[in-house]
């Protein structure tokens, strides 16, 4: 009887890694999957837990750690594969921690903000190689996916994504997290944004985001490589 092949996630689960080593291992896992014959398709369709955890948790955490790791702020990451109310625990050390700018122990929670049709867009890209925007996609009764172009007035697309983002954060803010939890929000934007459009989105969400217990909310777009941190208003206890 052939022995079961261990999941590549086991090398991460519960194991403490220096932050930069963690990033290197996550990127190596990404390339090992992408380099397979069916790799690009697996990345789009996410057929197993491995692709889902990689794209929705490990890569977002690596993005935050790589952006935050610096002289005076050294980070050890322990990702946990389970149903607990966080995705990873980080231990921080260095001068910035000694002077109270960052806590010695914190937690990371990763989430994705995306249009509800985003999964249909990925499926259509995988099967047909192209698609129009997210507003014009739907699944027909025969199971096929229809994609038609849709136009926007001015920055209506920013309005729409601001609301998607606000609702995602609101849902996360309703959950009880450990003290000093940082929320990492991977923004799968509803279309490619120019830098000023990303700035507009961040300005709008800074006003719209609800009070929460999060120490920091880190937003990033994996396509345009935009990122920004927001330090939300604290939710009143009781």
């Amino acid at each position: 009887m052939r022995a079961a092949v261990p999941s590549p996630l086991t090398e991460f689960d519960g194991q403490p890694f220096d932050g930069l080593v963690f990033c290197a291992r996550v990127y190596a896992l990404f390339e090992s999957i992408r380099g397979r014959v069916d790799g690009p398709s697996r990345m789009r369709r996410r057929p197993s837990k491995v692709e889902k955890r990689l794209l929705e948790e490990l890569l977002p955490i690596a993005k935050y750690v790589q952006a935050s790791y610096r002289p005076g702020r050294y980070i050890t990451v322990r990702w946990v594969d389970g149903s607990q109310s966080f995705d990873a625990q980080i231990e921080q050390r260095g001068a910035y921690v000694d002077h109270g700018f960052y806590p010695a122990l914190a937690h990371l929670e990763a989430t994705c903000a995306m249009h509800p049709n985003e999964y249909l867009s990925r499926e259509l890209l995988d099967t047909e190689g192209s698609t129009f925007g997210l507003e014009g996609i739907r699944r027909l009764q025969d199971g096929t996916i229809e994609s038609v172009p849709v136009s926007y007035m001015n920055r209506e697309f920013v309005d729409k994504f601001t609301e998607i983002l606000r609702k995602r954060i609101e849902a996360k803010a309703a959950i009880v997290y450990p003290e000093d939890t940082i929320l990492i929000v991977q923004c799968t934007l509803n279309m490619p944004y120019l830098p000023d459009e990303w700035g507009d989105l961040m300005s709008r969400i800074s006003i719209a985001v609800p009070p929460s217990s999060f120490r920091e909310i880190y937003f990033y777009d994996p396509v345009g490589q935009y990122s920004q941190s927001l330090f939300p208003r604290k939710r009143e206890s009781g």
Side-chain angles (χ1 to χ4, degrees):
M1 185 174 180
R2 183 179 298 177
V5 178
S7 167
L9 297 176
T10 58
E11 73 170 273
F12 295 96
D13 189 15
Q15 302 301 312
F17 292 106
D18 173 79
L20 300 184
V21 173
F22 175 84
C23 292
R25 286 176 173 262
V26 170
Y27 301 150
L29 175 58
F30 175 88
E31 292 298 339
S32 71
I33 297 174
R34 190 184 69 87
R36 294 168 49 175
V37 173
D38 63 343
S41 177
R42 296 186 72 86
M43 291 299 189
R44 296 188 189 106
R45 303 295 282 271
R46 305 175 191 181
S48 78
K49 179 180 176 181
V50 173
E51 292 83 18
K52 286 183 66 64
R53 292 288 192 268
L54 171 64
L55 295 168
E56 298 173 13
E57 293 183 19
L58 293 173
L59 278 170
I61 290 168
K63 175 68 177 180
Y64 177 79
V65 170
Q66 191 170 355
S68 303
Y69 198 112
R70 67 190 64 140
R73 188 185 180 188
Y74 306 104
I75 303 172
T76 297
V77 184
R78 188 192 305 268
W79 176 76
V80 182
D81 184 15
S83 58
Q84 69 288 331
S85 62
F86 61 89
D87 293 320
Q89 183 184 76
I90 59 173
E91 296 176 7
Q92 304 183 104
R93 63 195 186 280
Y96 283 114
V97 179
D98 294 341
H99 289 285
F101 289 98
Y102 303 102
L105 178 66
H107 295 82
L108 304 178
E109 171 70 0
T111 191
C112 302
M114 62 184 67
H115 191 283
N117 288 343
E118 195 270 343
Y119 77 101
L120 291 175
S121 176
R122 287 190 280 109
E123 182 178 336
L124 194 57
L125 281 172
D126 193 46
T127 57
E128 302 295 333
S130 63
T131 176
F132 289 111
L134 297 169
E135 294 288 340
I137 298 177
R138 62 172 182 151
R139 191 180 297 279
L140 303 178
Q141 290 186 348
D142 63 1
T144 61
I145 301 173
E146 177 186 69
S147 177
V148 298
V150 173
S151 61
Y152 293 101
M153 293 288 290
N154 300 318
R155 289 192 174 176
E156 182 184 8
F157 61 94
V158 179
D159 290 332
K160 289 180 178 293
F161 196 79
T162 300
E163 185 61 12
I164 291 171
L165 196 50
R166 184 193 66 78
K167 288 181 178 179
R168 183 87 288 262
I169 297 169
E170 191 174 64
K172 285 293 183 179
I175 300 171
V176 177
Y177 290 98
E179 186 178 2
D180 290 320
T181 293
I182 298 157
L183 180 65
I184 304 167
V185 185
Q186 180 177 219
C187 300
T188 304
L189 300 174
N190 45 355
M191 63 183 297
Y193 279 35
L194 296 173
D196 62 311
E197 293 164 345
W198 171 262
D200 189 11
L201 173 64
M202 291 295 98
S203 294
R204 297 182 192 208
I205 199 61
S206 67
I207 298 170
V209 69
S212 71
S213 62
F214 295 121
R215 177 183 179 87
E216 175 187 356
I217 302 177
Y218 178 77
F219 302 94
Y220 83 99
D221 161 35
V223 176
Q225 289 298 298
Y226 305 122
S227 64
Q228 183 166 319
S229 285
L230 171 68
F231 298 90
R233 293 165 292 157
K234 289 297 181 182
R235 182 171 52 206
E236 295 183 5
S237 60

